[in-house]
Amino acid sequence: MTKSDYDGPILEIENLSISFFTRAGEIPAVMDFSCTVMPGEAMGLVGESGCGKSTVALGVMQDLGVNGKVVGGTIKFKGRDLASFTPDELRDIRGSEIAMIYQEPMASLNPAMKIGKQLAEVPMIHEGASYADAITLALEMVEKVRLPDPQRILNSYPHQLSGGQQQRIVIAMALMSKPSLLILDEPTTALDVTVEAGIVDLVKELGETTGTSMLFISHNLGLVMDTCDRLCVMYSGEAVETGSIEDVFDHMRHPYTQALFRSIPLPGADKNARPLVAIPGNFPLPHERPPGCNFGPRCDYFVEGRCNVGVISMSDVPGKNRDRHESRCVKWDEIDWHAPIAAKVETEVTEPGDVILKIQDLKKYYEVSASALFSSGERRVVKANETLSFEAREAETLAIVGESGCGKSTLAKMLMGLETATDGAITLENKDIGNTEIEDRDTRTVADIQMVFQNPFDTLNPSHKVGDQIIRVLEKFGVGATVAERNEKMLELLDLVKLPREFAGRMPRQLSGGQKQRVGIARAFAGAPKIVVADEPVSALDVSVQAAVTDLLMEIQRVSRTTLLFISHDLSIVRYLADRVLVMYLGHIVELGTTDQVFSPPYHPYTEALLSAVPIADTKIKKKRIVLDGDIPSAMNPPSGCPFQTRCARKSSVPGNLCETQVPPMRILADGHQVKCHLSDDVLEQMEPVITIVAAE
Amino acid sequence: MLTFLLKRSWIMLLTALCLTAIVFFLTNIYPNLEKLAKTQGNMRMTDEQVERWLGDRGYLRPMVSRYGEWLGVMPGWTNTDEDGKFTGRCVNPDDTPETASRFCGVLQGDFGMSTVFKEEVGAIIVKKMGLTGMLMLWVMIVMIPMALIVGVLAGMKEGSRTDRSLSTFAITTTATPEYVSGVIFVVIFSSSMVGLKWFKGSAASAMNEITFENFTLPVMTIALYGMGYIARMTRASMAEVMTAQYIRTARLKGVSFPKIVLKHALRNALIAPFTVIMLQFPYLLTGVVIVETLFNYKGFGWTLVQAASNNDIEMLMGASIIAVIFVLVTQLISDIGYVYLNPRIRVS
């Protein structure tokens, strides 16, 4: 197929249905899905995991595997039905006309092949270029995706690059033969926010310069808003709403879209005054979909006899200035879309109590040998934590924010006693525990500091019943004297995390992700802990479940007056629930203060960049764009002086080479607000807020 | 890299020392020595005669000093009997006390005399290793390509008809022990029962000159047995690689299926089987015993069986050293080869 001058829609999907055929029978993954992508247009596909958005992408690629089949509808690429392509023709357009960017860059690059060779393959296959020409082209492309030292990169293997660099290579590979359609399947989910911001910028810019159409798949509404012109919201295999960004974001006409927006922490949400509204219930499994509207059982506007009968198809939402806006709801024109959120209980602000945890000059250094197999005895020191000092009070939520490698997990490990401190002290109610390993801690101390883990799927033993796993913890902590008492306590804990009591007899595999995380929370709160370390407790969960789990944590905390150390990279959720925030970068605390102090100027330059990097799904928000160069330096080889100086956008405002030579001192800006930065007071004074709300229409 | 090699050599030396010490101890406990005396001297020797026979030949002195002599760090024993006849560990028949060398052990390159074969152990090992080496070489030449081809073909499309038939073939060959397949081959290809008579049922003539006729059956017997195992490993590894995301990347880049298999999957799929292949070498060293016996090919395995059943101390000690060196050298090659196959591991 030649790249003809075709000016119709690049991609037309009409009533597409895709099913997977397994031993259990036919499982419909996508039903009645339609969308059109015009040349140069960026289309966003949004939805939670399992909603079928990736299946659509693989359908367009005609790569559904042995079990998947298109059972209805057509996918037309440049006016021609993809089903009519022969395998050879398909191979011809793959990589040259349609290219794809994947979620995990490390896994999608061949580990045993040099980057240059993998890139060169594309023009060699599709344009019959010679190896030398292909490499020249690859070099150009690597420069275009703004990677430093392209020659060296072409000669390296994927594992020698960082995650962000790998993703840039995957993008370069996709753009090697200037495709007409680029499919991006969660391209930044595996990356840190500041790296993500760089990738998003790059994709946007390349989209504009090359005029490539894009199909952008993501679960992150903010990201879609930043990158796309139109979007399509999917729920349980169906498109529920489609339209331009403005239409869907500001004038949504489907209850699911509305519920989704209400469950994500946008600026303005507050855990006490304006709590999030979680979507009740769970995502239906493909073989348990209800009749009628799939969202029916979880919908506030559900009407018996109308919403759960027959087939509901997409209907046009007419209106001035509306551009092909459609909704799959029978009641869209009856619902009052401007009604305020149904009264949610407002809660009192909890007053923090006494200092319960005190950390002073805490340090953790690791010694590692350079290579495991052929070690030559050379040892390096990784400074995972550098002189951390902070306090946490009873009933307070202290958020620890930072990207991968900033040392937040090391801090958690030291608190838990999985690692001991190299230097400094951790004081839990006047008892130094910094050098006591978990085996040597007494039961009370162990029960006092508990953890909720990031990945609920791996932290429950798959071969024990949920109830038994909670009882085991109770036994360990000496809660309850008899079996019956413990059993009773376990059932109370299930009540506490709002799980039905019959879940005690279930196996972890029978639970959804959100339910598993609730069990994890129950387990952590079993021994009446003083401190709970929540390590990214909701980041592995779907958006609609996140709100419910977050609220649950808050609610339990309010009652038990537990101190919550909330480790996260997601600033939106931190702003929503934290009382105080601690920002970490490469093992240092760079900023510490109350949530209001940290989220408004003056900022530490890193906090400023972090805030600007987080995509916010609100069209009324204006953001200052600060994109950091490069990647987070390795803790094995940290930069001299200020840890952030290699990427700092404000370094030029500091006279001399202070940043390169000296680690800045911790400065107190206001009561309880500390910043580790060399910037002078008047520069800090003049900082503007990163996020501003543009006056509502 | 150099430190790595030095480290490995050091380990090799240490292992060899430990192993030979154990073998020395086991072959020198009294019942074994008694057996040696009776097989070498006379089956109907009395206990006193056994004692004298062993005493004369220096077998009854402390074990530690004798191990030292074998190593060559202690002077060999000497003895002059009542007839004035001068004997000793390092004494040749026409030596006098003045001309005889004091040390004669492994360090001096002297592995001693084999009591069964009445020959220098060093010479026997060289000769027999040559014979077995030839057998191993041909087995590897036949087995590895066959195993890899079968494994890759089966693994590249998991669950397909090719996969199922090749897997069945591989399992069958591995499940058939060499002494069964060997006998079956002899019956089919060289007996008058079937009448094919393509090959010879004995490989004795192959010790002098290897021909297609006399060497095919022993090689096939070992190769088929080992092949199934490696093929299964390769298949599993290949099947796993074919589901990897980078294979999808390649497919959606427009790479054709044969090229995906050859350029993207093969190198990654060979990492696991490579270690297994290298482990086959030490196995073959002793695993050839059955086939060597079956086809009357007097190689290393056959020699080892003879030495063990006659408690041939010096021969067994020599064989132990060879075994240690062989295992560790193949493992060294395996580690280095692994590094070249897998770029994620690098010699620093």
Side-chain angles (χ1 to χ4, degrees):
Chain A
M1 191 167 169
T2 51
K3 293 188 181 184
S4 54
D5 297 318
Y6 175 82
D7 52 2
I10 294 292
L11 185 71
E12 289 168 278
I13 303 179
E14 268 167 54
N15 309 102
L16 177 71
S17 295
I18 297 173
S19 288
F20 287 96
F21 293 87
T22 63
R23 270 181 209 163
E26 180 182 348
I27 295 173
V30 175
M31 292 158 299
D32 187 28
F33 178 87
S34 305
C35 91
T36 310
V37 182
M38 302 301 286
E41 195 175 60
M43 177 82 181
L45 270 187
V46 182
E48 298 171 78
S49 56
C51 73
K53 54 194 194 299
S54 294
T55 311
V56 171
L58 291 177
V60 173
M61 277 304 212
Q62 296 285 303
D63 189 54
L64 290 165
V66 205
N67 299 324
K69 253 190 198 79
V70 174
V71 287
T74 52
I75 309 170
K76 278 187 193 156
F77 176 71
K78 289 191 173 177
R80 195 177 155 200
D81 190 353
L82 279 170
S84 68
F85 279 62
T86 65
D88 274 344
E89 284 175 317
L90 264 181
R91 216 174 48 236
D92 258 0
I93 62 160
R94 284 175 182 166
S96 73
E97 289 275 350
I98 311 178
M100 193 157 171
I101 293 166
Y102 314 86
Q103 177 165 5
E104 277 172 58
M106 180 70 206
S108 22
L109 291 170
N110 189 340
M113 209 174 185
K114 283 187 178 161
I115 300 282
K117 223 174 150 195
Q118 295 194 45
L119 286 175
E121 220 178 20
V122 179
M124 282 164 78
I125 294 168
H126 295 295
E127 283 146 38
S130 70
Y131 183 72
D133 290 348
I135 280 287
T136 322
L137 203 65
L139 199 68
E140 256 171 56
M141 216 57 218
V142 171
E143 261 166 44
K144 223 179 243 173
V145 294
R146 294 199 290 268
L147 277 171
D149 203 355
Q151 197 65 57
R152 184 186 59 85
I153 291 213
L154 287 188
N155 273 320
S156 34
Y157 286 101
H159 69 277
Q160 291 163 325
L161 309 181
S162 72
Q165 289 176 328
Q166 285 169 359
Q167 193 61 295
R168 280 168 196 265
I169 291 298
V170 176
I171 292 173
M173 192 152 80
L175 296 175
M176 278 300 273
S177 46
K178 301 171 194 71
S180 321
L181 177 67
L182 188 61
I183 301 174
L184 301 103
D185 188 0
E186 306 256 10
T188 57
T189 308
L191 305 174
D192 276 316
V193 263
T194 55
V195 180
E196 172 184 84
I199 297 279
V200 167
D201 259 24
L202 175 75
V203 167
K204 259 163 76 181
E205 188 198 301
L206 291 174
E208 274 157 28
T209 52
T210 56
T212 302
S213 306
M214 283 193 275
L215 193 61
F216 193 100
I217 297 168
S218 181
H219 66 278
N220 189 332
L221 283 164
L223 208 57
V224 168
M225 191 191 95
D226 277 354
T227 45
C228 300
D229 310 309
R230 297 174 59 77
L231 88 158
C232 175
V233 181
M234 288 189 76
Y235 182 78
S236 193
E238 290 176 332
V240 292
E241 188 167 4
T242 177
S244 67
I245 293 284
E246 292 79 39
D247 288 346
V248 177
F249 274 60
D250 299 338
H251 313 282
M252 72 254 316
R253 286 295 176 265
H254 194 279
Y256 174 65
T257 320
Q258 189 186 40
L260 204 58
F261 274 99
R262 286 182 177 176
S263 67
I264 53 174
L266 295 172
D270 181 280
K271 65 175 164 177
N272 296 313
R274 262 190 67 188
L276 298 180
V277 187
I279 305 177
N282 282 306
F283 201 78
L285 294 172
H287 52 274
E288 290 170 357
R289 288 190 183 119
C293 175
N294 282 341
F295 189 58
R298 302 174 74 187
C299 182
D300 291 340
Y301 310 102
F302 180 74
V303 176
E304 178 68 38
R306 268 185 80 192
C307 293
N308 58 355
V309 283
V311 177
I312 297 165
S313 51
M314 291 292 257
S315 49
D316 267 324
V317 179
K320 228 176 22 175
N321 301 330
R322 280 182 198 262
D323 178 24
R324 292 168 282 153
H325 189 180
E326 288 174 41
S327 166
R328 194 187 292 272
C329 178
V330 286
K331 295 181 65 203
W332 70 264
D333 52 352
E334 296 163 32
I335 297 169
D336 177 9
W337 294 99
H338 298 287
I341 301 173
K344 247 263 174 170
V345 202
E346 282 186 26
T347 44
E348 293 273 305
V349 180
T350 13
E351 277 306 314
D354 295 333
V355 171
I356 208 157
L357 177 79
K358 199 169 174 175
I359 287 175
Q360 260 173 331
D361 297 325
L362 188 69
K363 276 182 195 165
K364 179 70 193 176
Y365 292 174
Y366 290 102
E367 266 197 4
V368 290
S369 51
S371 149
L373 179 56
F374 301 101
S375 66
S376 51
E378 185 197 347
R379 296 198 157 261
R380 282 171 159 185
V381 177
V382 175
K383 295 178 179 175
N385 280 166
E386 275 277 25
T387 51
L388 306 182
S389 301
F390 64 91
E391 289 174 351
R393 292 168 179 275
E394 189 192 50
E396 183 186 49
T397 306
L398 176 65
I400 301 170
V401 176
E403 297 174 277
S404 55
C406 74
K408 53 192 198 294
S409 299
T410 308
L411 176 62
K413 277 185 196 157
M414 277 193 288
L415 285 173
M416 300 297 297
L418 297 171
E419 300 275 357
T420 52
T422 310
D423 197 18
I426 302 173
T427 321
L428 176 74
E429 289 191 312
N430 306 322
K431 193 160 70 183
D432 183 21
I433 54 166
N435 279 310
T436 331
E437 281 191 41
I438 193 145
E439 287 89 352
D440 305 328
R441 290 187 180 181
D442 56 68
T443 316
R444 194 56 244 161
T445 317
V446 175
D448 270 347
I449 307 185
Q450 279 297 300
M451 195 154 174
V452 178
F453 298 93
Q454 174 169 14
N455 195 338
F457 305 92
D458 296 341
T459 43
L460 293 180
N461 187 330
S463 51
H464 289 277
K465 286 180 188 153
V466 167
D468 295 347
Q469 298 198 40
I470 298 176
I471 288 178
R472 178 88 188 118
V473 179
L474 293 171
E475 270 170 25
K476 275 272 169 195
F477 292 162
V479 181
T482 60
V483 176
E485 255 177 67
R486 285 192 195 115
N487 209 33
E488 188 52 39
K489 176 80 186 151
M490 179 269 291
L491 293 174
E492 280 169 25
L493 279 166
L494 285 181
D495 293 344
L496 181 75
V497 295
K498 294 182 184 148
L499 284 178
R501 288 195 166 196
E502 55 279 14
F503 271 43
R506 296 225 181 146
M507 289 308 223
R509 62 165 183 278
Q510 295 168 295
L511 272 57
S512 72
Q515 289 165 342
K516 277 186 201 166
Q517 195 57 300
R518 283 168 194 263
V519 176
I521 292 172
R523 207 162 53 166
F525 281 91
K530 295 212 169 58
I531 295 172
V532 166
V533 181
D535 188 1
E536 311 248 12
V538 295
S539 63
L541 304 177
D542 271 318
V543 191
S544 70
V545 185
Q546 275 184 10
V549 173
T550 316
D551 274 353
L552 175 75
L553 264 178
M554 296 286 97
E555 214 177 296
I556 298 175
Q557 187 197 20
R558 228 169 256 137
V559 178
S560 61
R561 292 188 65 79
T562 310
T563 307
L564 195 61
L565 293 185
F566 192 89
I567 300 178
S568 182
H569 69 278
D570 183 352
L571 284 171
S572 311
I573 203 138
V574 164
R575 175 176 25 212
Y576 170 68
L577 60 76
D579 300 313
R580 287 199 302 140
V581 180
L582 188 159
V583 184
M584 287 184 75
Y585 186 79
L586 268 190
H588 291 260
I589 295 180
V590 294
E591 186 166 358
L592 172 64
T594 64
T595 308
D596 285 341
Q597 285 168 339
V598 172
F599 279 82
S600 52
Y603 308 105
H604 184 279
Y606 175 61
T607 317
E608 192 184 18
L610 209 54
L611 277 172
S612 107
V614 180
I616 297 171
D618 194 333
T619 49
K620 289 184 283 298
I621 294 279
K622 270 265 173 296
K623 259 190 326 181
K624 217 163 74 175
R625 205 84 181 123
I626 303 161
V627 174
L628 296 181
D629 287 333
D631 288 306
I632 302 164
S634 150
M636 242 193 285
N637 191 14
S640 63
C642 175
F644 188 55
Q645 54 108 340
T646 50
R647 301 171 76 201
C648 186
R650 289 184 182 270
K651 198 168 122 185
S652 52
S653 314
V654 176
N657 58 355
L658 210 55
C659 291
E660 283 98 338
T661 50
Q662 273 180 41
V663 179
M666 205 60 171
R667 283 159 59 189
I668 294 171
L669 296 180
D671 184 32
H673 190 197
Q674 302 172 31
V675 165
K676 203 179 237 183
C677 189
H678 283 304
L679 284 175
S680 62
D681 283 334
D682 48 310
V683 176
L684 288 173
E685 206 60 51
Q686 281 164 13
M687 275 191 188
E688 287 166 2
V690 174
I691 298 164
T692 42
I693 300 176
V694 180
E697 307 137 59
Chain B
M1 186 70 189
L2 196 70
T3 42
F4 173 70
L5 284 178
L6 279 174
K7 220 181 201 167
R8 275 305 173 87
S9 311
W10 173 237
I11 291 174
M12 189 147 79
L13 204 70
L14 216 65
T15 321
L17 267 176
C18 292
L19 187 70
T20 49
I22 293 167
V23 173
F24 196 82
F25 173 75
L26 289 177
T27 49
N28 279 291
I29 45 181
Y30 194 77
N32 275 338
L33 288 178
E34 194 180 332
K35 185 168 108 190
L36 175 73
K38 284 186 172 167
T39 46
Q40 291 302 311
N42 184 339
M43 266 305 167
R44 285 186 291 278
M45 278 201 283
T46 61
D47 286 355
E48 292 80 53
Q49 282 173 312
V50 167
E51 197 100 347
R52 261 242 333 272
W53 191 93
L54 289 171
D56 283 350
R57 285 159 183 80
Y59 283 111
L60 292 178
R61 289 166 321 100
M63 226 182 268
V64 179
S65 57
R66 289 187 44 230
Y67 182 63
E69 286 169 22
W70 179 82
L71 277 178
V73 293
M74 285 164 90
W77 59 271
T78 49
N79 187 26
T80 315
D81 63 10
E82 46 270 28
D83 308 334
K85 197 173 164 225
F86 179 69
T87 53
R89 186 185 150 80
C90 312
V91 180
N92 292 325
D94 46 354
D95 266 343
T96 60
E98 289 74 39
T99 58
S101 48
R102 259 163 58 74
F103 295 94
C104 58
V106 176
L107 286 180
Q108 286 76 35
D110 190 345
F111 287 86
M113 284 290 281
S114 160
T115 44
V116 181
F117 300 104
K118 308 278 184 264
E119 241 189 288
E120 287 271 345
V121 169
I124 298 174
I125 287 176
V126 169
K127 196 167 78 199
K128 298 297 182 190
M129 275 304 283
L131 289 174
T132 297
M134 217 53 206
L135 183 60
M136 279 164 75
L137 179 75
W138 281 105
V139 167
M140 289 294 173
I141 289 174
V142 175
M143 176 172 78
I144 295 172
M146 207 156 87
L148 292 184
I149 291 170
V150 169
V152 167
L153 285 178
M156 67 188 193
K157 276 190 179 160
E158 203 183 358
S160 64
R161 193 171 297 174
T162 333
D163 176 21
R164 273 174 291 162
S165 35
L166 285 176
S167 290
T168 311
F169 171 64
I171 293 170
T172 315
T173 60
T174 300
T176 317
E178 287 155 322
Y179 51 84
V180 174
S181 53
V183 170
I184 293 174
F185 285 153
V186 170
V187 168
I188 295 178
F189 294 114
S190 61
S191 76
S192 47
M193 207 177 107
V194 178
L196 282 177
K197 293 202 172 180
W198 289 352
F199 309 114
K200 278 189 186 163
S202 158
S205 56
M207 288 188 284
N208 299 318
E209 197 199 355
I210 292 173
T211 62
F212 186 66
E213 209 182 11
N214 63 23
F215 220 45
T216 307
L217 287 187
V219 167
M220 284 309 290
T221 309
I222 304 175
L224 271 182
Y225 179 65
M227 185 217 69
Y229 182 54
I230 300 175
R232 293 294 292 165
M233 282 290 300
T234 316
R235 178 197 167 272
S237 174
M238 186 73 190
E240 196 194 315
V241 166
M242 286 307 283
T243 60
Q245 287 194 28
Y246 55 83
I247 296 298
R248 188 186 65 185
T249 308
R251 202 167 56 231
L252 298 188
K253 202 152 79 167
V255 184
S256 61
F257 189 75
K259 272 195 177 156
I260 288 180
V261 171
L262 290 176
K263 284 177 76 180
H264 289 268
L266 201 58
R267 183 168 167 191
N268 288 298
L270 284 185
I271 294 172
F274 182 73
T275 320
V276 177
I277 291 170
M278 291 318 285
L279 275 171
Q280 289 285 308
F281 280 98
Y283 158 74
L284 277 181
L285 191 64
T286 47
V288 289
V289 171
I290 292 167
V291 169
E292 285 187 351
T293 313
L294 195 64
F295 291 97
N296 199 21
Y297 184 78
K298 289 170 182 154
F300 192 71
W302 179 86
T303 311
L304 218 61
V305 172
Q306 294 301 316
S309 52
N310 291 304
N311 201 43
D312 188 343
I313 299 168
E314 310 274 309
M315 187 65 223
L316 287 172
M317 296 291 283
S320 317
I321 294 183
I322 294 300
V324 170
I325 294 174
F326 202 76
V327 171
L328 289 172
V329 166
T330 47
Q331 284 312 294
L332 183 75
I333 297 172
S334 150
D335 281 346
I336 294 172
Y338 193 75
V339 167
Y340 284 99
L341 276 174
N342 190 349
R344 274 164 293 188
I345 297 169
R346 271 276 168 254
V347 187
S348 60

